[in-house]
Amino acid sequence: MELRSRYLIDKAETAPQRSLLYACGFTKEELDRPLIGVVSAYSEIVPGHIHLDKLTEAVKAGVRLAGGTPVTVPSIGVCDGIAMGHDGMHYSLPSRELIADSVETMITAHMFDGVVLVPNCDKIVPGMVMAAVRMNIPAVVVSGGPMLAGTVGGCEVSLSKMFEAVGAYKAGILDNNGLDEYEHKCCPACGSCSGMYTANSMNCLCEAIGIALPGNGTIPAVMSARVALAKHAGMAIMDMVSKGVKARDIINKRSISNALRCDMALGCSSNSVLHLLAIAKEAGVDLDLNIFNEYSDSTPNLCHLAPAGPTHMQDLYAAGGVQAVLSELARKDLIDLGAMTVTGKTVGENIKGVKVRNYDIIRPIDKPYSETGGLAILWGNIAKNGCVVKRSAVAPEMLRHSGPARVFDSEDAAIAAIYGKQIKEGDVVVIRYEGPKGGPGMREMLNPTSALAGMKLDKSVALITDGRFSGASRGASIGHVCPEAAQGGEIGLLRDGDIIDIDIPAHTLNARVSQEELEERKKTQVMPTPKFRSGWLARYARLVTSADKGAVLG
């Protein structure tokens, strides 16, 4: 493979560029080697990123061991947990596009020969992967790894339980001392929050899709094995550069198929739908919501990690991790074993001899939690272009539900009603004008879902929105309703008392309102004033596509 950096190094005409590199302290010996960008999302405000400086140094050590010259460049990153419930959450999903664009900019402008991506949390992982596929240069992902679960009352807990504790406190179920105990014990160390939330979902899917080394999704952040993994990632990128293996050689139709299978088996976050759609678009792979259901209907759900169950990422790691899940799926020929990975080996070669070490954590393929996958796509007269639910986190009694709509034009109004105990058993809470354009930014709805769970209403109240849900959400939480209200979608025409029929096994979501009545309501519909009239979010609202297209910029 011809090295891109040689444009800067080997030509008389680029002596000015070399003078600037020497100004950075590089030696001629360093510049004679392949230049590897190491994109680090390190910061001191995100618990999933606060240790990435150490992993970045480990990556750089691996690159040097394999004969390359590593160069650190930065990336932004939003902590969704800290941003939850206020204006900061408007910026979370849009930050994915900023990350993709900035990584593309830094890597292309400086002519790196390959890139190691060091993310960890929700939008940072897919944003970096989108950039790698877009640029189509050698790339490896090594993330920061999951946080250990905390312990309260002898039970493993994580961030989802912390948010639910607030709901329990508001309902008078938990006192001040109980809330304080959760606050200090649920997040005991660095790393991405310890359930199968969006960050860990995407880190696992990077492993399944082949762009990350085995172990990337599950080795806990605090383990020395995570540092060793980072060093091996540095070595792996040098092997890819020498062999000319590029991102699209790894991420393609075959590997995305494997990621979809793994997604359904693990019970990943509903946000994985948005991100896989966006990554597939960059890779030139046709992927739509119908395909998600095809995979879900034919892939058993093998794992119930938090919020769907009581176990966490450290338990999945001990049980064999993502490679063990792939091995179990391969028993029924559900995995493309010939897909190439950044190890330089195929998926089949990677999982040879890998076995599940704990069938309580990873169910046998012939005794799954369910015969269908963790996600489901629904359609109906208020979701004509589809919507998404994390089926594996829905109580059996809520898989089918009918009830009266309680309609709110923002998350803030809905959470006030929930905390005010205005929501009753059987209700269907509708939160609209929170989509990609209407939000803007498609805010996550962890506060309302957690409040309902904490108040013991998650098995009797459903929630639908054109926004989205945190991977930590559980219950009949149906998001990504398309078309969104701000684009004239029928969710914007619902009124209090309309009966909503949810049938997750049948993939349907309908309101008992005739098309004629919806058309009459549309004549008097008044759109809310845009929340942002200037700045980045105003531009984002103008350019963003719908959720069923991955909410990418058009």
Side-chain angles (χ1 to χ4, degrees):
M1 173 181 171
E2 183 177 351
L3 299 179
R4 289 152 44 106
S5 63
R6 294 312 91 188
Y7 174 83
L8 301 176
I9 307 307
D10 293 343
K11 296 176 180 290
E13 296 87 346
T14 55
Q17 286 90 328
R18 290 194 294 280
S19 72
L20 294 170
L21 292 170
Y22 287 130
C24 293
F26 290 106
T27 65
K28 184 180 186 304
E29 292 79 5
E30 287 176 307
L31 296 182
D32 284 341
R33 298 178 173 188
L35 297 183
I36 305 299
V38 183
V39 184
S40 175
Y42 166 73
S43 76
E44 294 183 340
I45 192 62
V46 183
H49 293 183
I50 198 166
H51 62 306
L52 294 188
D53 56 336
K54 298 175 179 62
L55 289 184
T56 300
E57 289 304 314
V59 169
K60 293 168 73 175
V63 170
R64 291 191 184 100
L65 281 168
T69 297
V71 184
T72 305
V73 295
S75 170
I76 64 168
V78 171
C79 176
D80 280 15
I82 295 174
M84 197 71 65
H86 60 87
D87 277 354
M89 182 46 73
H90 289 289
Y91 290 85
S92 173
L93 183 59
S95 74
R96 185 189 69 182
E97 312 308 307
L98 288 179
I99 290 162
D101 291 349
S102 63
V103 171
E104 176 193 359
T105 299
M106 292 298 288
I107 298 303
T108 304
H110 301 102
M111 299 294 283
F112 289 113
D113 300 307
V115 60
V116 180
L117 305 164
V118 191
N120 207 25
C121 291
D122 293 32
K123 311 310 167 299
I124 300 86
V125 179
M128 288 189 181
V129 173
M130 288 164 63
V133 179
R134 183 186 302 170
M135 294 181 295
N136 195 29
I137 65 171
V140 178
V141 171
V142 57
S143 61
M147 184 185 293
L148 296 175
T151 304
V152 173
C155 298
E156 287 186 5
V157 296
S158 54
L159 188 66
S160 58
K161 291 295 184 184
M162 179 70 254
F163 276 89
E164 290 175 20
V166 176
Y169 174 79
K170 292 284 188 179
I173 298 171
L174 191 68
D175 63 15
N176 279 313
N177 290 335
L179 187 65
D180 186 69
E181 184 177 14
Y182 273 98
E183 184 176 334
H184 285 89
K185 293 182 177 179
C186 78
C187 296
C190 64
S192 49
C193 297
S194 57
M196 188 53 76
Y197 311 145
T198 308
N200 290 325
S201 294
M202 295 311 300
N203 287 327
C204 287
L205 294 182
C206 281
E207 189 175 333
I209 212 168
I211 198 70
L213 295 172
N216 182 74
T218 58
I219 297 173
V222 296
M223 291 185 68
S224 57
R226 177 62 59 174
V227 177
L229 185 77
K231 291 177 181 176
H232 282 118
M235 299 177 203
I237 192 63
M238 291 302 298
D239 185 58
M240 293 179 71
V241 169
S242 68
K243 294 177 178 176
V245 179
K246 300 179 181 180
R248 292 191 190 182
D249 297 322
I250 304 296
I251 298 181
N252 47 45
K253 186 175 181 179
R254 299 174 72 179
S255 64
I256 289 173
S257 172
N258 285 343
L260 287 168
R261 293 289 185 198
C262 192
D263 193 335
M264 300 306 166
L266 286 171
C268 289
S269 164
S270 57
N271 284 315
S272 66
V273 175
L274 286 174
H275 301 323
L276 287 175
L277 286 168
I279 291 168
K281 182 177 184 298
E282 297 289 356
V285 175
D286 289 332
L287 184 63
D288 61 34
L289 295 183
N290 288 292
I291 295 173
F292 279 87
N293 264 356
E294 291 173 14
Y295 278 82
S296 183
D297 288 346
S298 58
T299 309
N301 178 224
L302 305 182
C303 300
H304 265 194
L305 282 79
T311 54
H312 295 84
M313 296 303 296
Q314 65 206 45
D315 305 304
L316 180 59
Y317 172 64
V322 172
Q323 298 300 303
V325 173
L326 295 176
S327 178
E328 198 66 21
L329 291 170
R331 288 177 54 199
K332 290 201 173 179
D333 298 322
L334 295 176
I335 293 296
D336 186 336
L337 299 177
M340 185 54 63
T341 74
V342 294
T343 65
K345 300 177 181 178
T346 64
V347 173
E349 290 171 324
N350 286 343
I351 65 173
K352 186 177 182 180
V354 173
K355 298 184 184 299
V356 175
R357 296 196 287 265
N358 185 339
Y359 278 115
D360 290 331
I361 305 300
I362 303 171
R363 287 279 186 92
I365 191 119
D366 52 358
K367 293 182 180 178
Y369 282 102
S370 67
E371 294 293 339
T372 53
L375 297 176
I377 310 299
L378 314 182
W379 282 272
N381 67 347
I382 53 173
K384 292 181 177 179
N385 294 343
C387 57
V388 183
V389 62
K390 186 171 181 175
R391 174 166 45 192
S392 60
V394 179
E397 56 266 45
M398 289 299 291
L399 290 172
R400 292 182 174 88
H401 177 79
S402 296
R406 297 295 311 281
V407 181
F408 303 93
D409 285 348
S410 70
E411 177 191 8
D412 312 82
I415 194 68
I418 294 169
Y419 284 157
K421 301 181 181 179
Q422 298 171 27
I423 304 303
K424 308 301 180 186
E425 290 186 6
D427 284 348
V428 178
V429 176
V430 177
I431 305 177
R432 61 196 184 186
Y433 298 106
E434 290 284 6
K437 286 185 178 292
M442 211 177 180
R443 288 194 291 177
E444 286 187 343
M445 305 291 171
L446 182 54
N447 276 339
T449 59
S450 298
L452 291 171
M455 293 175 171
K456 310 299 184 186
L457 292 172
D458 57 299
K459 295 182 179 180
S460 61
V461 173
L463 197 156
I464 67 173
T465 181
D466 53 8
R468 60 197 177 91
F469 294 106
S470 165
S473 294
R474 63 184 174 95
S477 304
I478 301 166
H480 309 194
V481 170
C482 291
E484 63 173 293
Q487 287 194 299
E490 284 73 12
I491 190 174
L493 304 177
L494 294 177
R495 294 177 180 173
D496 279 343
D498 289 342
I499 301 300
I500 308 296
D501 294 319
I502 300 166
D503 191 333
I504 294 173
H507 301 297
T508 60
L509 173 67
N510 288 289
R512 294 184 199 172
V513 182
S514 68
Q515 186 61 38
E516 292 76 16
E517 172 62 17
L518 290 173
E519 289 173 2
E520 282 299 312
R521 293 181 185 183
K522 200 173 193 70
K523 295 176 182 177
T524 58
Q525 183 183 20
V526 178
M527 293 287 185
T529 302
K531 298 182 182 75
F532 294 87
R533 292 180 174 274
S534 62
W536 154 233
L537 288 181
R539 296 197 302 275
Y540 177 85
R542 290 195 299 270
L543 297 172
V544 70
T545 59
S546 56
D548 63 310
K549 304 299 183 186
V552 297
L553 294 184

